[in-house]
Amino acid sequence: MLLGGLFVAAVAGVVAVALAPVDHAELASASGLRPPSNSVLHGHAFLWAIALNSFGTLFLVGGSLLAIARRQRVRTNVWIAAGALVVALSTGMSRAGTYSLVYAGELIGISMMFFGFRFAAAPPPKPAPAGSAAPYLIPAGSATQSRVT
């Protein structure tokens, strides 16, 4: 059911963006290093971006926090949640008009999530076999110790 809702919201967002009027003069004035301002796209398309990005971040970070609370793959989920928050905050700053560290923040956040997923893909450490306990040391002078002459 959640997947169906996500699919409907994504399709509605795509349709809203495709049908939204664009201010071509303001789009042309945007530099190549910064994203265009929020006023380039008219209509309600920005609402879909806000909603889908917010819910996506909420579910990703919330799922990681739930797994951490359950003590399941804690290290993996800490990396993934932290990376998602860094990406969300850096892109949110760009929409607020602060562009100085957007790309660095995205790179750092994506790298953090990558390391989290790599930890998840790594095989868990193998426990020591039951028969390979620490060797029993025979005390000096015992009857079973052999003598070298």
Side-chain angles (χ1 to χ4, degrees):
M1 181 161 154
L2 187 62
L3 187 59
L6 177 62
F7 180 74
V8 169
V11 169
V14 167
V15 169
V17 169
L19 298 177
V22 177
D23 185 353
H24 294 286
E26 194 166 341
L27 183 61
S29 69
S31 72
L33 298 177
R34 291 186 178 185
S37 68
N38 292 337
S39 61
V40 170
L41 203 60
H42 300 288
H44 299 293
F46 72 96
L47 293 175
W48 287 106
I50 292 170
L52 291 174
N53 286 329
S54 298
F55 284 125
T57 301
L58 180 72
F59 284 123
L60 181 60
V61 173
S64 289
L65 291 176
L66 181 63
I68 291 169
R70 292 180 177 173
R71 304 216 186 279
Q72 297 171 341
R73 297 186 183 243
V74 173
R75 182 175 65 163
T76 296
N77 284 294
V78 166
W79 280 98
I80 293 170
L85 284 175
V86 169
V87 169
L89 291 173
S90 66
T91 54
M93 288 173 48
S94 74
R95 294 292 94 193
T98 305
Y99 299 99
S100 58
L101 297 174
V102 172
Y103 298 117
E106 289 178 349
L107 177 66
I108 291 168
I110 291 169
S111 297
M112 291 171 76
M113 286 189 287
F114 173 76
F115 287 124
F117 286 118
R118 289 294 296 157
F119 288 143
K126 295 180 181 176
S132 67
Y136 177 74
L137 299 176
I138 299 173
S142 69
T144 57
Q145 184 178 18
S146 63
R147 295 183 181 219
V148 178
T149 55

